[in-house]
Amino acid sequence: MDNFTFCSPTLFVFGRDQENNAGKYVKQFGGTKVLLHYGGSSAEKSGLLGRVENSLKREGISWVKLGGVQPNPKSPLIYEGIELCKKEGVDFILAVGGGSVIDSAKAIGLGVVYEGDIWELYSKQAAPAASLPVGTVLTIAAAGSEGSNGSVVSFQREDGVYKRDCGGEFMRPKFSILNPALTQTLPPYQTACGIVDIMCHVHERYFTNTEHVEITDQLCEGVLRTLIKEGPKVMKDPNDYEARANIMWAGTMAHNDICGVGREQDWASHNLEHELSGLYNCAHGAGLAVIMPAWMDYVMKHDIKRFARYAVNVWGCEKEENPANTARAGIAALRKFWKSLGMPLNFQQLGAREEDIPLLLNYLQIEGRTEGHFVKLGTEDCRAIYQLAADYPG
Amino acid sequence: MDNFTFCSPTLFVFGRDQENNAGKYVKQFGGTKVLLHYGGSSAEKSGLLGRVENSLKREGISWVKLGGVQPNPKSPLIYEGIELCKKEGVDFILAVGGGSVIDSAKAIGLGVVYEGDIWELYSKQAAPAASLPVGTVLTIAAAGSEGSNGSVVSFQREDGVYKRDCGGEFMRPKFSILNPALTQTLPPYQTACGIVDIMCHVHERYFTNTEHVEITDQLCEGVLRTLIKEGPKVMKDPNDYEARANIMWAGTMAHNDICGVGREQDWASHNLEHELSGLYNCAHGAGLAVIMPAWMDYVMKHDIKRFARYAVNVWGCEKEENPANTARAGIAALRKFWKSLGMPLNFQQLGAREEDIPLLLNYLQIEGRTEGHFVKLGTEDCRAIYQLAADYPG
């Protein structure tokens, strides 16, 4: 196990009706003037936004609203939010939505404090150091941003779209309100994308070269088994509160780094996927369903034993005499599960195009560096993984 | 799943040599004058205390020392610590030791701020509300106090010894330094007691009446399987750093409540045990090894399915046609495992006496109330569990 530090100071407020306490928690964390940040009209129509506004009103907290966050949150709205916060003297950002809204809120929080252009932070030219405090009312179980220290944004630059991440411990939300009932109205496709995203947050941590990490291995496997058990329940009955609750908390556990401390993590699949959702504006989870198994196929030989353990402990595969067969059975079980959730498994099903692979590699800016840690992937490795994802029969 | 709030703000600093950063973290959390609180002479002889003192010196932090904390930390030293802190103007308490030292430090932290007698807090006559900040350098993987919101103290009162707990979210340590190498010198018996204690922290959460808690069930089972796998390694080779590391982090995960949120917890076994270690001054883990399986035998019929799941998922028992047989096999596997670690399994092996059962019940102050939640135990239930523990053949 590697040395590590871990601190997850976010106050999680979990359960039915908790959004009515949003104002109370904004006040607890010192907010007096709030940017209420959200996505489309569903938060308004469902009455959620109204309940949150009422909770702010009850605490005597004023607010300005900025809706319109799109999936794969876009930089123009973020720059607009930064200006709005500065003009209005906002001291707290409350994100009401899924990972895109929260990531957008985190980016605005950075931008209000940072003197330069936040592109410098996301393109790693400068290190982030401070942010306005952010709170969340989560409506989608997926990204884990409600407890994580990171944010991913699609920057619309003159020469193209760059989906980039930025992280820092101070970026963890002050509080996150998780009411599973709010996720019940999510359509099946988005629900499935969320489950895939959560599983991949675990995969990125599980496939490691760090040895002797039994405790985090066990936690990873437990989160994955939860999703395999609870996922089909919500696909069958979107109103299954209890299954929604288990998936929602699994989503937080998958990405607050409880499952990742003390071990080298990979993250190549996420980065390869970001170019897909950046280019095609597809759902991140759907892109991952295409990329992650291709990555697994490609890197499996690097540590057959780990993939065999994954197959047995997560998917209940039989241990075969040849561990490579066990390993392959695990990846097959993963694909079968994601297919059963209605996920795409290849480029065509995703709406991606094989002929764009050079473009994807270009956006990835992989030349002269590598992606991932489990196996360090160069340009040709990344090309091969995109190709495997394109070719997969589905 | 029940509604819950969860916040674990402790900064965990994990790994080799991290005790040399103690001063840095005291400073980060605002400490300028420290009470350095520890147990026996081993911390001095091993050089650990010196390294911590040097780290304080490097940061320009002054300190006073109070050693002598005993297992099942006693109230007289705590009262002495409270007076010392007040006299010296201490603003931060640094515990160097195991759970007893940390719990003693937490009690001192409460006492410096509270105007009355801390007995009022531990006997639940008054609610704790504030504390001096506490940091820890952990030397024993067991109690989980390094990340928990509670403290357990043996109060030496005129009419006897009362082992009582006190809790509050503000009581979680500001930081906890966990260097697994520091646990390598722990004798086998104490190491085993720690493993039992950690497992019981999970058991107390696992056996619940709350339904649909798959995610926490899975995390509980994962922590338990880790201990079953890593425990025998450290019994065989006390210097196995990697196994020590896994056990140490499992100990924190078992008790920072990651495994317990959203579900009713039990804690009857802990409370029944506290009277044993209070009366006989035995190790808490050893007492639990005697009480917990007896509790399991007694309450098993309340939810055979849960005990059968425990047997299969934690111990790898075969599913038998009659689930009661599966359940019994799980409890038998637990006893066998603890026996293999050198733990006592009945009153005689522990040094407890059957004829003291009325005295234990008296100290438990069970008349007119109940213990536990999985099954609410009255006086006769508690008597029966003590009796089962006394009678077990070992």
Side-chain angles (χ1 to χ4, degrees):
Chain A
M1 198 183 297
D2 298 337
N3 284 12
F4 66 86
T5 59
F6 176 71
C7 184
S8 168
T10 304
L11 171 62
F12 296 105
V13 182
F14 192 99
R16 291 185 194 275
D17 302 325
Q18 298 283 17
E19 64 272 18
N20 296 315
N21 295 316
K24 187 182 94 177
Y25 292 110
V26 169
K27 194 172 192 176
Q28 180 176 323
F29 288 99
T32 62
K33 179 74 181 270
V34 165
L35 176 71
L36 196 52
H37 198 40
Y38 57 100
S41 57
S42 67
E44 281 174 358
K45 284 184 196 154
S46 70
L48 170 60
L49 215 61
R51 294 200 296 282
V52 171
E53 290 181 282
N54 282 336
S55 82
L56 293 171
K57 204 181 290 174
R58 278 195 298 276
E59 302 295 336
I61 296 164
S62 63
W63 68 93
V64 289
K65 281 158 63 168
L66 181 63
V69 180
Q70 292 170 4
N72 304 311
K74 313 292 186 286
S75 50
L77 189 73
I78 290 166
Y79 289 119
E80 188 186 330
I82 293 167
E83 290 316 307
L84 181 62
C85 287
K86 286 180 177 171
K87 187 179 131 215
E88 297 282 346
V90 162
D91 58 15
F92 196 99
I93 303 176
L94 183 57
V96 179
S100 295
V101 176
I102 299 172
D103 282 5
S104 184
K106 285 176 174 175
I108 294 172
L110 287 171
V112 174
V113 175
Y114 186 62
E115 290 193 355
D117 180 345
I118 55 164
W119 166 249
E120 295 160 18
L121 306 178
Y122 282 78
S123 62
K124 315 283 192 281
Q125 298 169 57
S131 166
L132 280 196
V134 172
T136 88
V137 177
L138 186 65
T139 61
I140 302 176
S145 190
E146 70 279 7
S148 83
N149 58 9
S151 157
V152 183
V153 167
S154 286
F155 280 87
Q156 297 180 349
R157 309 278 301 167
E158 280 184 9
D159 59 341
V161 177
Y162 293 91
K163 195 170 175 183
R164 291 291 181 269
D165 66 281
C166 178
E169 284 303 310
F170 65 89
M171 288 171 66
R172 292 188 192 253
K174 297 297 176 195
F175 70 85
S176 282
I177 291 174
L178 286 72
N179 175 358
L182 298 178
T183 70
Q184 289 176 198
T185 52
L186 203 66
Y189 187 79
Q190 271 74 34
T191 299
C193 286
I195 292 167
V196 172
D197 194 13
I198 296 169
M199 292 178 76
C200 288
H201 289 156
V202 180
H203 289 147
E204 299 281 20
R205 294 171 164 95
Y206 188 77
F207 293 101
T208 181
N209 296 310
T210 311
E211 292 184 290
H212 308 299
V213 284
E214 188 63 31
I215 177 66
T216 35
D217 276 350
Q218 291 279 356
L219 297 180
C220 284
E221 290 162 0
V223 173
L224 290 170
R225 278 192 303 264
T226 300
L227 293 158
I228 294 164
K229 193 162 178 178
E230 304 295 317
K233 293 184 191 171
V234 295
M235 300 311 290
K236 194 176 162 200
D237 175 10
N239 292 316
D240 185 336
Y241 175 88
E242 298 291 355
R244 293 276 187 189
N246 277 289
I247 291 170
M248 197 168 208
W249 191 238
T252 303
M253 291 296 96
H255 204 41
N256 81 338
D257 220 22
I258 278 287
C259 293
V261 294
R263 50 202 291 154
E264 190 184 57
Q265 304 181 13
D266 191 71
W267 297 100
S269 298
H270 260 72
N271 289 336
L272 265 70
E273 191 294 316
H274 283 166
E275 305 313 333
L276 289 172
S277 46
L279 184 60
Y280 303 112
N281 206 27
C282 60
H284 174 53
L288 283 169
V290 172
I291 286 293
M292 186 110 229
W295 174 86
M296 288 181 169
D297 283 341
Y298 190 77
V299 304
M300 188 190 84
K301 59 185 178 297
H302 173 68
D303 189 350
I304 289 285
K305 270 176 69 182
R306 178 147 285 270
F307 274 92
R309 174 182 171 142
Y310 169 76
V312 172
N313 289 3
V314 175
W315 295 102
C317 298
E318 291 293 321
K319 258 189 196 170
E320 299 196 34
E321 205 175 330
N322 179 351
N325 292 340
T326 317
R328 270 188 283 271
I331 302 171
L334 172 68
R335 278 202 174 97
K336 189 178 167 194
F337 179 68
W338 284 350
K339 188 172 185 176
S340 78
L341 301 181
M343 285 287 97
L345 292 178
N346 62 25
F347 265 37
Q348 198 193 348
Q349 292 170 357
L350 183 69
R353 302 184 320 165
E354 183 179 350
E355 54 266 40
D356 288 340
I357 290 177
L359 191 59
L360 291 166
L361 291 168
N362 196 34
Y363 279 135
L364 188 64
Q365 298 179 311
I366 183 71
E367 280 301 332
R369 64 174 195 93
T370 58
E371 268 300 344
H373 295 275
F374 184 66
V375 175
K376 289 188 190 302
L377 307 170
T379 307
E380 291 316 308
D381 301 308
C382 294
R383 189 193 310 279
I385 290 168
Y386 281 131
Q387 193 64 53
L388 280 170
D391 291 345
Y392 188 74
Chain B
M1 198 183 297
D2 298 336
N3 283 12
F4 66 86
T5 60
F6 176 71
C7 183
S8 167
T10 304
L11 170 62
F12 296 105
V13 182
F14 192 99
R16 289 186 194 275
D17 302 326
Q18 298 283 18
E19 64 273 18
N20 296 315
N21 295 316
K24 188 180 94 178
Y25 292 110
V26 169
K27 194 173 190 175
Q28 180 176 321
F29 288 98
T32 62
K33 180 75 181 271
V34 166
L35 175 72
L36 196 53
H37 199 40
Y38 57 100
S41 56
S42 67
E44 282 174 357
K45 284 185 195 153
S46 71
L48 170 60
L49 215 61
R51 295 200 294 284
V52 171
E53 289 181 284
N54 282 335
S55 81
L56 292 171
K57 205 182 290 175
R58 279 196 299 276
E59 302 295 336
I61 295 163
S62 63
W63 68 92
V64 289
K65 281 158 62 168
L66 181 64
V69 180
Q70 293 171 4
N72 305 310
K74 312 293 185 286
S75 51
L77 190 73
I78 289 167
Y79 289 118
E80 188 185 331
I82 294 168
E83 290 314 307
L84 181 63
C85 287
K86 286 180 177 173
K87 187 179 131 213
E88 296 283 345
V90 162
D91 58 15
F92 196 99
I93 303 177
L94 182 57
V96 179
S100 295
V101 175
I102 299 172
D103 281 4
S104 184
K106 286 176 173 174
I108 294 172
L110 288 171
V112 174
V113 175
Y114 185 62
E115 289 192 357
D117 180 345
I118 55 165
W119 167 249
E120 295 160 18
L121 306 177
Y122 282 78
S123 61
K124 314 285 193 280
Q125 298 170 58
S131 165
L132 280 194
V134 172
T136 87
V137 178
L138 186 64
T139 61
I140 302 176
S145 190
E146 70 278 8
S148 84
N149 60 8
S151 156
V152 183
V153 166
S154 286
F155 280 86
Q156 296 181 348
R157 310 278 300 167
E158 279 186 9
D159 58 340
V161 176
Y162 293 91
K163 196 169 174 182
R164 290 292 180 269
D165 66 283
C166 177
E169 284 303 310
F170 65 90
M171 288 171 65
R172 291 187 192 255
K174 297 298 175 194
F175 70 84
S176 282
I177 292 174
L178 285 71
N179 176 357
L182 298 179
T183 70
Q184 289 175 198
T185 51
L186 203 64
Y189 187 78
Q190 270 75 35
T191 299
C193 286
I195 292 167
V196 171
D197 194 13
I198 296 169
M199 292 178 75
C200 288
H201 290 156
V202 181
H203 289 147
E204 299 281 21
R205 293 172 165 96
Y206 187 77
F207 292 101
T208 181
N209 295 311
T210 311
E211 290 184 290
H212 308 299
V213 285
E214 189 63 29
I215 178 64
T216 35
D217 276 350
Q218 290 280 355
L219 298 179
C220 284
E221 289 163 0
V223 173
L224 289 171
R225 279 192 302 265
T226 300
L227 292 158
I228 294 164
K229 194 162 176 178
E230 303 296 316
K233 294 184 191 170
V234 296
M235 298 311 291
K236 194 177 163 199
D237 175 9
N239 292 316
D240 185 336
Y241 174 87
E242 298 291 355
R244 292 278 188 187
N246 277 289
I247 292 170
M248 198 169 206
W249 191 239
T252 303
M253 291 296 96
H255 203 43
N256 81 337
D257 220 22
I258 279 288
C259 293
V261 293
R263 53 203 288 153
E264 188 184 58
Q265 304 182 10
D266 190 71
W267 299 100
S269 298
H270 260 71
N271 290 335
L272 265 68
E273 191 295 315
H274 284 165
E275 305 314 332
L276 289 173
S277 45
L279 183 61
Y280 304 112
N281 207 26
C282 60
H284 174 54
L288 284 168
V290 172
I291 287 293
M292 185 109 229
W295 174 87
M296 289 180 167
D297 283 340
Y298 190 77
V299 304
M300 188 189 85
K301 61 184 178 298
H302 173 68
D303 189 350
I304 288 285
K305 272 176 67 182
R306 179 146 284 269
F307 273 92
R309 173 181 172 144
Y310 169 76
V312 172
N313 289 4
V314 175
W315 295 102
C317 297
E318 291 294 323
K319 258 189 197 172
E320 300 196 36
E321 204 175 328
N322 179 351
N325 291 340
T326 316
R328 271 189 282 271
I331 302 171
L334 172 68
R335 277 203 174 97
K336 189 178 168 194
F337 180 68
W338 283 352
K339 189 173 184 175
S340 78
L341 302 180
M343 285 287 98
L345 292 179
N346 61 26
F347 264 37
Q348 198 195 348
Q349 291 170 359
L350 183 69
R353 302 184 317 165
E354 184 181 348
E355 54 266 41
D356 288 339
I357 291 178
L359 190 59
L360 292 165
L361 290 169
N362 196 33
Y363 279 136
L364 189 62
Q365 298 179 313
I366 184 70
E367 280 301 332
R369 62 175 197 91
T370 58
E371 268 301 343
H373 294 276
F374 184 65
V375 174
K376 289 188 190 304
L377 307 170
T379 307
E380 291 316 307
D381 300 308
C382 294
R383 190 193 309 278
I385 290 168
Y386 281 131
Q387 192 65 52
L388 281 170
D391 291 345
Y392 189 72

